[in-house]
Amino acid sequence: MPLPDLNQLRTFVVLYELRSLTATADRLHVTQPTVSYTLRQLRQRFGDDLFHRQGHVMVPTPRASRLFGPLHEALAQIDATVSSPDEFDPATFDGELALALTSIGEQTFLPPIMPALAQAAPHLHLKVERLDADLVADGLLRGTIDLAVTVSLMESPHLWRTPIRSVEYVALSSEAYPLPTTGPRMFEGRRFVRVSARGGHVYPLQAMIEQGLMPQVKLTVEEYATVPAVLEATDLVVLLPRHVADVFCGWFPGLRIAELPWPARSTPVAIYSRGEASLSPAQRWFRSVMFDAVAAGEYRVA
């Protein structure tokens, strides 16, 4: 059987990204029957269904998932070879880019990134997606997310990662209910807020379990956004990254940071994107601007 041509492979890649025959047809400027016909040819060529329909979604098979990375990278390299290296002009770009952040990532990184984007690409629309540590790798590979910033360690040969700042954890509480001097008994009798680890910050939960503090948890929330206001009004304590605690103290002067009595570091915050060969010119530019705006000095090249 002859090898699939580039149009067939491009149809496969776009269908994998969009999970919809109709959306794929729209993206490729062809009819839906053309996409369906191409999919039948690909199924015969690879001896696999490649996609199963579940409702309105085309769900890839394991074989399709294995094929996607290498095929996407190959097509991206071909596109980069035949395209002009100067084709992307951020000053005139009026498209949309998607950035995956946790709630505390929004609070920490959007203030420096938005002025940088406004200066370089005033017509760009930035769409912020809520980061889910279990789903973000798939979003990056499919192209539904252009960049992600997370402490989660995602090991994939098809993803690019660069650290941007270290993560050290501290305790935060109200100055009206100060914590005692740092030591092994500093949390006796104190009540805690527990924040979901869905965004990737698993260290606080691990530390509270290891230190036997879970019985003292009196409030569990999904996001960090409301935590500083709750802390200022109560005697509750939360464990969180130092750079986030610094932001919260700037907003709520009645909060105080306390050092933890045990080692309190996790993997560094990192920017993730598709692999270098798979990036579009816009994504490559976006990643560079993002790094310049948010990377701490320790990770910058001297």
Side-chain angles (χ1 to χ4, degrees):
M1 182 175 292
L3 293 174
D5 62 29
L6 288 180
N7 287 333
Q8 290 176 332
L9 295 181
R10 196 175 299 279
T11 298
F12 168 82
V13 167
V14 174
L15 180 56
Y16 188 96
E17 292 175 338
L18 301 181
R19 309 292 167 92
S20 165
L21 295 174
T22 302
T24 298
D26 290 343
R27 169 78 66 84
L28 297 175
H29 305 292
V30 298
T31 65
Q32 183 171 327
T34 298
V35 175
S36 298
Y37 174 72
T38 302
L39 178 57
R40 287 196 298 272
Q41 291 181 305
L42 290 168
R43 283 168 167 165
Q44 292 175 358
R45 172 63 185 82
F46 290 109
D48 187 88
D49 285 342
L50 298 177
F51 297 91
H52 297 294
R53 182 179 293 280
Q54 293 184 6
H56 298 293
V57 178
M58 299 297 289
V59 179
T61 66
R63 179 75 187 282
S65 295
R66 291 193 298 271
L67 289 169
F68 172 73
L71 291 180
H72 180 273
E73 290 184 8
L75 288 173
Q77 289 179 357
I78 292 171
D79 290 340
T81 300
V82 302
S83 300
S84 167
D86 300 323
E87 67 178 80
F88 179 72
D89 180 6
T92 60
F93 180 68
D94 60 358
E96 179 179 275
L97 292 170
L99 173 64
L101 295 171
T102 62
S103 63
I104 57 175
E106 291 181 8
Q107 296 156 358
T108 305
F109 299 123
L110 286 181
I113 189 63
M114 289 309 296
L117 292 177
Q119 180 177 4
H123 308 295
L124 177 150
H125 174 219
L126 180 64
K127 180 181 180 182
V128 177
E129 303 274 3
R130 184 50 46 85
L131 189 145
D132 188 320
D134 295 329
L135 303 176
V136 65
D138 181 67
L140 287 166
L141 292 173
R142 289 173 54 196
T144 58
I145 299 169
D146 296 296
L147 292 184
V149 180
T150 178
V151 297
S152 297
L153 189 59
M154 297 184 287
E155 297 180 353
S156 168
H158 304 299
L159 292 180
W160 178 95
R161 172 182 181 269
T162 187
I164 56 172
R165 61 179 62 191
S166 299
V167 181
E168 180 184 16
Y169 291 86
V170 296
L172 190 64
S173 64
S174 169
E175 68 176 356
Y177 302 94
L179 286 163
T181 302
T182 299
R185 302 169 66 90
M186 65 183 293
F187 296 123
E188 285 187 358
R190 296 306 296 262
R191 305 183 305 156
F192 282 85
V193 181
R194 173 191 165 192
V195 183
S196 167
R198 185 167 58 91
H201 283 280
V202 299
Y203 173 84
L205 176 59
Q206 293 173 343
M208 293 176 73
I209 292 173
E210 292 172 0
Q211 302 300 323
L213 298 174
M214 289 301 291
Q216 295 167 235
V217 172
K218 300 304 176 184
L219 174 63
T220 299
V221 296
E222 282 294 310
E223 306 285 357
Y224 279 94
T226 59
V227 168
V230 171
L231 293 182
E232 195 170 54
T234 67
D235 65 346
L236 292 169
V237 179
V238 71
L239 306 185
L240 75 176
R242 182 185 296 277
H243 64 270
V244 179
D246 288 337
V247 171
F248 286 171
C249 286
W251 295 347
F252 293 83
L255 299 180
R256 291 293 177 268
I257 294 172
E259 306 297 325
L260 298 179
W262 55 76
R265 285 185 176 269
S266 72
T267 56
V269 178
I271 296 176
Y272 284 87
S273 72
R274 284 174 165 173
E276 189 69 25
S278 300
L279 288 179
S280 69
Q283 289 172 327
R284 189 173 289 110
W285 168 83
F286 183 32
R287 190 179 66 182
S288 175
V289 172
M290 184 73 185
F291 181 86
D292 288 342
V294 303
E298 65 205 272
Y299 290 103
R300 294 181 180 273
V301 177

